[in-house]
Amino acid sequence: MVDDGATLGGRGERGVLAEVFAAYAGLPTDGVLVGPGDDTGLLAVPTGRVLATTDTVVRDRDWRDDWSTAQDVGVKVVTQNLADLAAMGGRGTGLLVALAAPPSLPLAWARGLAEGIGYAAGLAGVPVLGGDLSSTAGDAVLVAVTALGELADGVTAPVLRSGASPGDVLAVSGPLGRSGAGLELLLGGVTEARDEQERRLLDHHRRPLTDLAQGPSAARAGATAMIDVSDGLVRDGDRVARASGVALVLDPGAVDRLAGELVPALPLDRARRQVLSGGEEHELLATFPGDRSLPEGWRRLGQVLPVGSDGADAPGVWQDGARLDPATGGWDHFEG
Ligand SMILES: [Mg+2]
């Protein structure tokens, strides 16, 4: 990021938008009938149904400038949105981007943000349809991305949170706890990775990139319920369990295997805790009929049981006969 001293206020809205849209120039334009530059974009909708989701991130709440670059913020907000589409069995067809910032914000930051958005959108093959620029009083910086999408090829119905049934298998599309572990490293003063593992964890916290095709793959493989892990395995699993009226029972061995991937960057007990409660992971959590094999890359985490069996007397995420607390992501003793 080259800071040439220019600010948003100095360049003016039209000038800033021209610069940031230049960062999206190489993106695919499939389905885009009218792109940026007119009053709205116009997008073709071949399947006749649109998925829509939005996410907003705020400086000093969702990122810190001393830990994350503008590019990092751009990647993260796109991943957050596209993972929500993937969790329905969808794929992105267009992004809308809004930035609200004080006039004193360096133009280089806005450019960097657009580069990060363009990078993540390019990996996913999703065009940017338009954007907005607004100014804030004080020093708040806010980035809002809206993603539009469609159900992917071969996916006839969205995968909801409410479809899990007893007898299903619970699985996750990749590792868990990386973003939380990366944040723990940052909070502990490790801002520069000292080895490859720390680099992966810090990267995943700053700019998570997940395999978004796993959502449609899961849908085609018969996934009965799905969600992206944005708030942690227990919290997001609890949402699926309550929507479906079932108990999700974790296999302690599966949790330990995932935790083992965070060791030695974190000690095993803190690694376990990040697997259970670490947010901003954006891997997908899904349930599959017990008689099917999982799509490639998915890891079995446990099973879906009826409420009332095996001591699981309420919908939720259970392990070792206890319900895990969605507020803390763990057993109460984690908080002690
Ligand atoms: Mg989500």
Side-chain angles (χ1 to χ4, degrees):
M1 178 166 82
V2 182
D3 189 346
D4 50 12
T7 61
L8 295 193
R11 190 60 55 98
E13 180 173 352
R14 223 146 48 112
V16 176
L17 288 180
E19 289 226 19
V20 303
F21 281 119
Y24 306 142
L27 293 176
T29 53
D30 305 350
V32 181
L33 305 175
V34 177
D38 223 297
D39 283 22
T40 76
L42 180 65
L43 184 67
V45 184
T47 66
R49 292 181 292 182
V50 177
L51 293 165
T53 184
T54 191
D55 252 304
T56 302
V57 291
V58 177
R59 182 164 73 182
D60 295 331
R61 312 276 314 179
D62 299 291
W63 84 87
R64 280 175 50 166
D65 279 344
D66 54 338
W67 288 351
S68 297
T69 65
Q71 284 89 344
D72 292 338
V73 174
V75 169
K76 194 171 193 166
V77 70
V78 169
T79 293
Q80 286 172 354
N81 274 281
L82 296 183
D84 279 334
L85 297 179
M88 306 293 283
R91 60 173 190 88
T93 54
L95 298 172
L96 296 160
V97 180
L99 168 66
S104 59
L105 187 83
L107 180 60
W109 197 92
R111 224 186 270 129
L113 176 74
E115 286 165 11
I117 288 171
Y119 177 73
L123 287 179
V126 183
V128 173
L129 299 172
D132 185 39
L133 184 64
S134 187
S135 62
T136 52
D139 63 357
V141 178
L142 178 154
V143 181
V145 170
T146 296
L148 304 176
E150 293 189 87
L151 296 180
D153 288 346
V155 179
T156 52
V159 185
L160 307 180
R161 298 176 180 184
S162 54
S165 302
D168 287 352
V169 166
L170 178 69
V172 66
S173 61
L176 285 175
R178 287 169 297 179
S179 179
L183 179 60
E184 232 183 287
L185 291 173
L186 289 169
L187 288 167
V190 181
T191 54
E192 293 290 335
R194 294 164 297 189
D195 58 36
E196 183 58 20
Q197 185 187 36
E198 286 186 352
R199 190 192 59 73
R200 278 190 297 109
L201 300 177
L202 290 170
D203 275 2
H204 200 75
H205 177 72
R206 289 173 166 144
R207 42 194 298 140
L209 288 166
T210 54
D211 182 1
L212 299 164
Q214 289 290 11
S217 293
R220 286 189 289 263
T224 52
M226 186 150 55
I227 193 168
D228 81 303
V229 180
S230 51
D231 295 327
L233 167 60
V234 173
R235 232 165 142 175
D236 290 312
D238 193 78
R239 293 178 170 130
V240 169
R242 281 186 291 110
S244 300
V246 296
L248 304 182
V249 180
L250 300 179
D251 166 9
V255 171
D256 275 1
R257 276 191 294 282
L258 288 167
E261 296 179 35
L262 305 176
V263 174
L266 295 188
L268 184 61
D269 61 327
R270 277 159 52 198
R272 261 193 213 114
R273 183 179 171 157
Q274 289 298 351
V275 167
L276 293 172
S277 68
E280 300 190 324
E281 194 69 20
H282 303 301
E283 293 292 347
L284 301 169
L285 181 69
T287 54
F288 295 88
D291 56 359
R292 310 257 186 102
S293 51
L294 297 176
E296 194 171 333
W298 285 70
R299 301 133 178 250
R300 194 193 145 101
L301 271 182
Q303 51 183 333
V304 183
L305 293 182
V307 171
S309 63
D310 248 19
D313 57 14
V317 178
W318 293 73
Q319 188 182 319
D320 298 327
R323 180 170 179 236
L324 303 184
D325 181 353
T328 62
W331 293 271
D332 281 345
H333 67 249
F334 276 147
E335 295 307 299

